[in-house]
Amino acid sequence: MHLPRSPIISSHYAGWNGISLEYHRQPAHEMPEYCIPYHTLSIGLGYRAKEFKVNGRVHKDFVAGNVGICPANQSLSTQAYGKAEFILLTVDPTKFAQTAYEAVNTEKLEIVSQIRGFDPLIYQMSLALKHELESNELDSQLYAESMATALSVHLLKRYSARKQVIKNYTGGLPQYKLREAVTYINEHLEQKLTLAEIADLLQMSPHYFATLFKQSTGLAPHQYITQCRIEQAKRLLTNRELTLIEICQQVGFQSQSHFTKVFRKYTATTPKVYRKLL
C-alpha cells in the first residue's frame, strides 16, 4: 500500500507471525486502485475531514472508532479529504484459513467487506497490539501470535459471508497434557516460545490449545509464560554471581529495559532493588 508517509510505528521488524500492524498519521491523499494479499483492517483513531471516497463512492461522517475491513485480494481505491490517524492490521490468509478450519471445520470461508462500522473488540485489540509493539517490540511475538488467533476467530464469528457455528471447547486440557505443556515452558524459558510450537508438541491446533490452556490455568499462554519468567528471575536473583543481564537472558527477555519493566509490573519493584532486599 503506497501512502504518502511511512508508518510511525510498524511491526515489520518485530518478528510477528500471521499478523502485522502499522500506525499512521497521513495527510489528505488519493490512492489509485490497489490489491492487498492480506485481510486488512483499518481502525480510525482521528480524522480532520470526515469524508472518504472508496471505489468511487463517497462515505461521510467518519469518526474515531470506525473500523473498515477489506478481504484479501480485493481491489480498493481510496481518497482521503483531510488528515487521518489510523491503525492498519493485516491478517495472513493462511493463518486465518488454519484458524477457520480448526474452529468450524471448513477450508472455504468468505469475509464480508466493511467500509465503515463500529467494532469495540477490534478497536481494543488494535490499541493493545499498538501498545505492545511500542513497549516491548523485541518480546512481542508471542502476544501478537495469540492476538492473531483471537482476531481470526472474531472475524469468523462476525464477518463471514455465512453465519458460522464456532466450536465450543470446554473442560480444559487433560492433566497429562497440561503437565507436558507446563514442563516444556519452564524448561525453555530462555527461548522465544511460540504458541504454534507448544501446541504442536501436544499435537493440538494453536486455537484449541490456547482455549483449553486458559480454561485450565486461568491465564492465556503468553500471560502464563511471562509469569513463569518472572518467578524464575526471582529465583535466579538469589544467586549474586549472576549479573542482571545474564538473568534477563536466561529468562527469555531480549532487552534488560523490558525485563525491568515487566518485573516491576509483577512485583512492584525492580530486579536490582528486589535483590538488595533478599
Side-chain angles (χ1 to χ4, degrees):
M1 185 181 296
H2 302 289
L3 291 163
R5 296 176 183 170
S6 298
I8 296 172
I9 301 169
S10 172
S11 63
H12 182 71
Y13 297 106
W16 289 10
N17 181 31
I19 190 171
S20 68
L21 178 146
E22 293 180 352
Y23 167 59
H24 288 270
R25 289 180 187 158
Q26 296 290 345
H29 61 276
E30 183 174 355
M31 294 182 58
E33 188 172 287
Y34 59 93
C35 183
I36 302 176
Y38 304 102
H39 299 307
T40 304
L41 289 71
S42 176
I43 300 93
L45 303 180
Y47 300 99
R48 177 67 61 84
K50 296 183 178 181
E51 290 187 359
F52 283 77
K53 184 182 287 185
V54 182
N55 290 346
R57 180 181 175 187
V58 175
H59 298 267
K60 298 184 178 182
D61 300 320
F62 275 78
V63 296
N66 281 150
V67 174
I69 298 173
C70 182
N73 302 311
Q74 183 176 103
S75 295
L76 190 71
S77 63
T78 60
Q79 184 175 347
Y81 297 111
K83 294 181 180 179
E85 178 187 10
F86 56 94
I87 292 172
L88 286 180
L89 287 179
T90 62
V91 179
D92 188 334
T94 302
K95 171 69 176 177
F96 177 78
Q98 179 189 35
T99 303
Y101 183 74
E102 296 162 2
V104 297
N105 260 347
T106 182
E107 296 177 350
K108 294 182 179 180
L109 283 169
E110 181 183 352
I111 296 297
V112 176
S113 63
Q114 177 164 309
I115 301 304
R116 182 198 58 188
F118 288 98
D119 190 313
L121 182 56
I122 289 178
Y123 185 72
Q124 291 303 321
M125 279 183 166
S126 69
L127 293 179
L129 281 163
K130 175 178 176 286
H131 176 74
E132 184 71 15
L133 183 61
E134 289 174 315
S135 305
N136 318 311
E137 178 177 351
L138 295 175
D139 293 305
S140 58
Q141 296 94 334
L142 183 61
Y143 182 81
E145 185 183 13
S146 299
M147 290 290 268
T149 298
L151 181 58
S152 294
V153 171
H154 181 66
L155 290 173
L156 279 169
K157 287 180 178 178
R158 186 161 180 180
Y159 300 103
S160 295
R162 290 183 296 174
K163 186 175 180 179
Q164 302 295 333
V165 178
I166 307 297
K167 294 177 185 177
N168 185 24
Y169 299 124
T170 59
L173 287 168
Q175 282 300 309
Y176 78 96
K177 283 189 177 290
L178 179 61
R179 284 195 300 271
E180 190 174 0
V182 168
T183 298
Y184 184 83
I185 288 168
N186 281 289
E187 289 179 351
H188 297 83
L189 289 176
E190 77 286 358
Q191 299 178 9
K192 285 187 178 181
L193 292 165
T194 69
L195 191 63
E197 172 188 347
I198 303 170
D200 187 61
L201 174 73
L202 303 183
Q203 298 183 319
M204 302 172 70
S205 72
H207 171 55
Y208 188 26
F209 165 71
T211 301
L212 296 188
F213 186 88
K214 186 171 184 178
Q215 290 175 4
S216 295
T217 64
L219 297 171
H222 72 274
Q223 294 172 321
Y224 184 86
I225 290 169
T226 299
Q227 182 173 283
C228 287
R229 284 175 166 153
I230 296 305
E231 291 303 314
Q232 176 67 354
K234 288 161 69 174
R235 289 189 286 270
L236 292 174
L237 284 165
T238 63
N239 182 354
R240 297 183 182 276
E241 294 183 1
L242 291 173
T243 66
L244 293 182
I245 190 63
E246 287 173 331
I247 293 172
C248 166
Q249 292 169 347
Q250 287 188 34
V251 295
F253 287 97
Q254 301 300 304
S255 72
Q256 190 172 340
S257 61
H258 182 216
F259 168 51
T260 299
K261 181 179 179 179
V262 177
F263 192 92
R264 184 189 289 116
K265 178 181 177 181
Y266 277 78
T267 66
T269 189
T270 66
K272 186 176 182 179
V273 172
Y274 182 88
R275 171 175 268 176
K276 285 182 179 179
L277 295 175
L278 291 174

